[in-house]
Amino acid sequence: MPSPHPSPLFPDLGFGLGLRREHYQHVVEQRPGPAAVGWFEVISENFMMPGGNPRRVLERVRRDHPVVLHGVSLSIGSTEPLDGRYLDDLAALARDVEPAWVSDHLCWGTAHGTNAHDLLPLPYTETTLAHVAERVQAVQERLGRRILLENPSSYLSFQASELGEAEFLAELARRADCGILLDVNNVFVSAHNQGLDARAYLAAIPPERVGQIHLAGHSADGELLIDTHDAAVCDEVWALFAHAVRRFGVRSTMIEWDAHVPPFEALIAELDRARQVAARAVAEAGRDAA
Amino acid sequence: MPPDALARLQSDLFAAITGLAVGDAARAVDHVVGDARASAERRLQVYATMYRLRVIEALESQFPRVAHVLGPDAFGAAALAFVADVPSRHPSLRELGRGFAAWLAREGRDARLPPLARLEWARADVFDLADQPALVVDALRVLPPDRFAELPLRLIDAHRFVDVDAATLDLWRRARDNAGDETSDPPSDPIEASGGALVWRQDVSVHHRGLSALERAALDAVAAGTTFGAICERLAGGRDDEAAATQAFTWLSSWVLDGLLTA
């Protein structure tokens, strides 16, 4: 499905899935074709080792499909120095895999040499913006490629923040010349948790910077929504996705399902729904433009 | 926001979320916006809860038998106490449990647990090690008999020797069976482990078994690189050559079938 507003920065890979351990055997043996799964996203850290089954699976998958590397440990917003060994390992993995792109999250997770293994939120200030932009440029120079940063799901905001998250992300992408991995479920979750307007969030994101879209499920924990990635995409997130497609055009889109992972066929069904929602949104946008 | 204020904010938040004394945890709530939907304390609690659950889940995946022996509450408490004492310093969660067996030994709560944890860590460790081409039976079949003595023997990299006893291997097996885990392995009774245990990966499966002291000594030599003839000579010391050769061939066959030797 060609996009009426293609991103000049990133190729349109179509509709893909996050590759999870539960499905390694199925994907390697059944080799789903591009009509079912256009590409796979893998968690970089799960493959940053010398060998073994994960690397073997990745090599087999890569022979059949484009792959993107999605990390969780870059800690781009930390005040700790960038982890040189981690960047070396990531660069080596990227050389081996030749991914369509490399991504991580707008967050931090390290302090005083220790790692919380979480995607912790940042205060959105000019100071933070300058700090993160400099680090993104350093990472891109080290990797020799433009990276994408994903908007996080957030459960808090900071007294010190001067900007909204969307404005921060947009300006960061411009200053650092990086891309945006737009997680529509995270926009929905964060907007709910912080009383924001999700559509206003999308309006602040520059279309040309969006290279990829994530779709996922979430859960409720009392008054807050938690980005659990353990359920189907809900109707409200599908509606927000349709709005995103009308605004940005079609982008490489994938289903992210990390916990209580269902059979592979269930993920394909979710992906097919994404195709349908996107096609309908494109048709509606075309009618509105006419 | 002054440049050093971001570092202070992150230290305080990190302390509040992880319980580690890297910042002023009590001050963290002052950084956070609370509102009608949720207070600042509640919002911080979400991250703290996720941190604890993630740590417990990661360690449980690496030490399922220890978790089974301890039970969920005691294992959860041990996991959190462990990361409080030995905070994670590696970007990958895969490395989280590297010091867990040693920590259990220092804690001294249950003497069964440290060797069980060592065994489980070795199993997790070999899973990601580099693949190598294995020495296969067909290669041996075409080898002339007079060339066997020169046959080089070398262990695959994806192996670990673990100093555990038969009781630990039995505990692992009973914990696996009680958990209804279909993980393959090991052995039928009785368990020989006077030489500890060998853990290795063959294709996508991880295995372990107990070793006699004699086989352990032979495998130590193979790990350093040796020949089949040298193994026979080692065995023949004080025994007749035919018995030594028979034992060596028996070992060689099982090592090849297990994918333990590299081509």
Side-chain angles (χ1 to χ4, degrees):
Chain A
M1 180 192 315
S3 169
H5 307 290
S7 165
L9 303 178
F10 303 97
D12 180 6
L13 303 180
F15 294 84
L17 291 177
L19 181 65
R20 297 295 173 261
R21 187 181 292 258
E22 290 86 344
H23 298 136
Y24 282 179
Q25 189 171 357
H26 176 93
V27 173
V28 166
E29 291 179 358
Q30 302 302 320
R31 303 178 68 181
V37 185
W39 53 285
F40 284 96
E41 179 188 89
V42 301
I43 303 300
S44 309
E45 288 78 1
N46 289 346
F47 299 91
M48 292 163 88
M49 71 282 284
N53 191 45
R55 286 301 296 263
R56 200 184 315 182
V57 167
L58 182 56
E59 285 161 20
R60 299 270 288 275
V61 170
R62 181 66 184 93
R63 271 183 235 147
D64 293 338
H65 298 88
V67 160
V68 304
L69 296 179
H70 186 54
V72 296
S73 300
L74 187 59
S75 198
I76 196 69
S78 174
T79 53
E80 301 270 286
L82 288 167
D83 187 332
R85 186 180 57 182
Y86 175 83
L87 286 173
D88 287 345
D89 289 345
L90 182 57
L93 180 63
R95 274 197 303 276
D96 289 346
V97 174
E98 295 182 338
W101 55 78
V102 175
S103 64
D104 206 292
H105 300 76
L106 176 62
C107 71
W108 61 285
T110 50
H112 299 269
T114 56
N115 200 313
H117 299 289
D118 201 349
L119 312 174
L120 301 178
L122 285 162
Y124 297 127
T125 69
E126 176 55 44
T127 302
T128 314
L129 189 51
H131 173 70
V132 178
E134 185 179 337
R135 287 164 69 91
V136 172
Q137 287 166 333
V139 168
Q140 292 183 142
E141 189 170 322
R142 176 64 187 86
L143 297 180
R145 57 170 67 229
R146 185 182 281 116
I147 67 172
L148 287 81
L149 288 177
E150 178 180 340
N151 56 297
S153 55
S154 61
Y155 312 101
L156 62 81
S157 60
F158 292 99
Q159 301 281 1
S161 285
E162 301 154 357
L163 297 165
E165 180 180 289
E167 289 76 17
F168 183 97
L169 189 52
E171 179 60 15
L172 174 64
R174 188 191 69 77
R175 283 197 204 182
D177 192 20
C178 66
I180 295 173
L181 193 172
L182 183 70
D183 191 306
V184 173
N185 179 63
N186 287 355
V187 173
F188 183 82
V189 165
S190 297
H192 170 91
N193 290 341
Q194 304 193 46
L196 304 175
D197 183 333
R199 291 192 174 199
Y201 188 110
L202 297 185
I205 298 293
E208 70 279 5
R209 292 286 170 185
V210 177
Q212 182 185 342
I213 286 177
H214 270 173
L215 292 168
H218 57 259
S219 307
D221 182 7
E223 66 291 333
L224 297 175
L225 297 181
I226 307 296
D227 181 34
T228 46
H229 291 183
D230 64 352
V233 178
C234 72
D235 288 343
E236 290 149 302
V237 173
W238 283 125
L240 191 60
F241 172 58
H243 184 78
V245 172
R246 284 193 292 273
R247 167 161 171 73
F248 303 120
V250 175
R251 294 289 186 266
S252 304
T253 297
M254 61 160 268
I255 300 295
E256 226 186 357
W257 201 318
D258 302 331
H260 304 134
V261 179
F264 194 76
E265 293 72 22
L267 297 185
I268 296 296
E270 282 279 270
L271 205 54
D272 284 341
R273 185 162 180 190
R275 290 185 174 95
Q276 292 158 13
V277 169
R280 204 158 42 237
V282 167
E284 287 167 359
R287 279 198 299 274
D288 293 345
Chain B
M1 181 183 217
D4 58 346
L6 179 59
R8 277 202 309 276
L9 180 151
Q10 291 187 349
S11 293
D12 294 345
L13 218 75
F14 202 92
I17 289 169
T18 65
L20 297 172
V22 297
D24 189 342
R27 194 169 57 193
V29 72
D30 297 335
H31 296 299
V32 175
V33 174
D35 58 19
R37 187 179 296 277
S39 66
E41 290 83 356
R42 167 74 178 111
R43 292 176 182 281
L44 279 168
Q45 181 200 35
V46 170
Y47 289 96
T49 300
M50 289 196 301
Y51 171 76
R52 288 193 294 270
L53 289 175
R54 183 173 309 108
V55 162
I56 293 170
E57 184 182 288
L59 287 172
E60 188 175 6
S61 73
Q62 294 170 344
F63 302 96
R65 309 289 175 252
V66 172
H68 179 80
V69 169
L70 277 176
D73 291 343
F75 183 80
L80 295 176
F82 165 64
V83 294
D85 282 350
V86 189
S88 175
R89 295 186 179 278
H90 195 282
S92 174
L93 263 176
R94 277 184 11 260
E95 289 294 313
L96 185 65
R98 187 167 288 281
F100 191 48
W103 181 84
L104 285 170
R106 287 197 299 275
E107 282 290 287
R109 65 179 66 200
D110 184 337
R112 299 175 303 165
L113 298 182
L116 183 61
R118 282 201 301 274
L119 177 62
E120 296 208 271
W121 182 254
R123 288 180 61 94
D125 212 14
V126 300
F127 191 75
D128 297 333
L129 294 178
D131 294 330
Q132 290 166 292
L135 181 64
V136 295
V137 170
D138 288 347
L140 297 183
R141 285 202 183 106
V142 301
L143 197 62
D146 61 352
R147 300 289 301 277
F148 258 88
E150 304 160 18
L151 176 67
L153 301 180
R154 196 166 189 90
L155 277 184
I156 56 172
D157 289 344
H159 81 275
R160 290 286 183 270
F161 292 111
V162 189
D163 288 328
V164 294
D165 58 17
T168 300
L169 297 182
D170 184 56
L171 180 61
W172 187 96
R173 184 176 59 187
R174 285 186 286 111
R176 177 202 61 183
D177 293 345
N178 289 336
D181 189 335
E182 295 179 5
T183 306
S184 66
D185 263 7
S188 48
D189 290 335
I191 300 174
E192 163 64 84
S194 56
L198 173 67
V199 178
W200 78 100
R201 190 190 79 240
Q202 183 177 26
D203 290 329
V204 303
S205 299
V206 174
H207 306 275
H208 73 259
R209 64 177 171 84
L211 300 170
S212 67
L214 213 53
E215 187 181 10
R216 172 65 186 268
L219 283 169
D220 280 340
V222 176
T226 188
T227 63
F228 182 71
I231 295 293
C232 291
E233 283 174 20
R234 173 190 289 268
L235 276 172
R239 299 175 57 182
D240 65 86
D241 289 352
E242 189 173 333
T246 301
Q247 176 64 81
F249 267 111
T250 301
W251 282 343
L252 180 64
S253 299
S254 75
W255 296 342
V256 169
L257 288 173
D258 286 343
L260 275 168
L261 302 176
T262 184

